[in-house]
Amino acid sequence: MKGEMKDGVRLPSREDSLPKRFYKAADVTKTDAGWAVQLDGRGIRTPMKSALAVPTEALARLIAQEWAAQGERIDPATMPLTRLAHGAIDAASANREAVLAEVVKYAGTDLLRHRAAESALAERQAEAWDNHLRWAENVLGARLPAVTGIMPAETSPQALDALRSRAAGYDNWQLTALMQATALTTSAVLGFALVEGVATAEDIFEASRVDEDYQIAHWGEDFEAKKRAGHLKAECLAIGEMLGALKS
């Protein structure tokens, strides 16, 4: 998109700041580090200068497709799987303790715990969320009672330990998926449900939208809100796509 004009001069656009495409073809190859993504036969690096290599050929090919689909400029916003790979290789591997702490921090403010006093919305929340909380208690060992209001809910040390212990058993790719899904949905429970395979990416996105969908049904939706929701859904689906490719 061209930049706006001011006093007869075209202002730089976001696209102008993106790096130009410097390669013709993207492909994958098997290496000692895993399946590496290559551009014109040369390996590429993460922001921390590690090789962009992933555990499975299926995931490597999906990432290569993102690179192949770029136009004259390389836009990271259109490459969610590449960004997830960067997170797993650079962040999760080097800062596991910080990532674990970030996930556990959501326990007290988990979306699924905070209910409206209004009966109609509260009923929708209960229908969409109660089964997830029961699953968290029965399978993850974390009892996270629902509360009314938005203030952080009291969380037992046992629940926090259970969530941390479960997440600590994940590899760097699963942990990255958990962290990103948790941040996108503002719910660690939904993040765990996705990684554990008891809910799809579509499922957890829809569950995270109960409040917004209720408001839209009553007041409508503006363009910016719709655009943001579409972006969040695409990011969420990419996490599910990555988890599926890791199993291939």
Side-chain angles (χ1 to χ4, degrees):
M1 181 182 295
K2 294 183 179 181
E4 296 180 356
M5 298 294 294
K6 183 176 182 181
D7 298 330
V9 178
R10 186 174 72 88
L11 300 176
S13 67
R14 173 181 175 276
E15 184 176 310
D16 292 330
S17 67
L18 297 174
K20 291 183 178 180
R21 178 167 176 161
F22 56 88
Y23 56 92
K24 292 182 178 179
D27 206 346
V28 305
T29 188
K30 188 71 169 68
T31 69
D32 292 341
W35 286 91
V37 180
Q38 295 187 327
L39 305 177
D40 293 340
R42 295 188 176 186
I44 53 180
R45 299 279 174 177
T46 69
M48 297 300 291
K49 308 304 180 185
S50 297
L52 183 56
V54 303
T56 67
E57 181 181 5
L59 179 55
R61 293 203 175 280
L62 288 174
I63 293 173
Q65 288 173 15
E66 290 186 336
W67 287 87
Q70 297 303 298
E72 294 181 0
R73 300 274 181 170
I74 302 171
D75 187 355
T78 65
M79 307 169 77
L81 291 169
T82 299
R83 288 185 279 108
L84 286 167
H86 289 168
I89 296 168
D90 287 346
S93 59
N95 302 294
R96 280 187 64 88
E97 290 303 314
V99 175
L100 289 169
E102 187 67 19
V103 171
V104 173
K105 187 177 74 174
Y106 275 85
T109 58
D110 196 291
L111 171 70
L112 274 55
R113 301 186 66 183
H114 295 278
R115 308 299 174 87
E118 183 182 343
S119 59
L121 176 55
E123 288 175 5
R124 294 190 186 187
Q125 291 170 333
E127 182 179 357
W129 298 344
D130 283 358
N131 284 340
H132 287 295
L133 291 182
R134 281 192 288 269
W135 173 81
E137 181 173 2
N138 296 332
V139 177
L140 302 182
R143 185 172 183 273
L144 303 168
V147 297
T148 300
I150 61 174
M151 295 300 292
E154 184 175 350
T155 308
S156 71
Q158 292 82 2
L160 296 175
D161 289 345
L163 294 177
R164 190 189 185 288
S165 177
R166 192 76 169 205
Y170 291 168
D171 63 29
N172 291 336
W173 296 89
Q174 293 170 314
L175 187 58
T176 297
L178 173 63
M179 180 66 256
Q180 294 302 319
T182 296
L184 283 171
T185 62
T186 65
S187 169
V189 174
L190 291 178
F192 277 106
L194 177 61
V195 177
E196 297 281 338
V198 300
T200 67
E202 184 89 29
D203 292 335
I204 69 165
F205 177 76
E206 289 182 2
S208 75
R209 295 283 302 174
V210 169
D211 291 357
E212 288 83 356
D213 289 344
Y214 180 82
Q215 295 300 326
I216 290 170
H218 284 75
W219 307 107
E221 182 178 32
D222 63 39
F223 174 78
E224 287 301 323
K226 185 175 182 179
K227 182 179 177 180
R228 180 174 181 274
H231 171 73
L232 291 176
K233 183 174 183 178
E235 295 287 314
C236 200
L237 293 178
I239 299 170
E241 193 173 22
M242 182 184 78
L243 289 169
L246 288 169
K247 298 175 183 177
S248 300

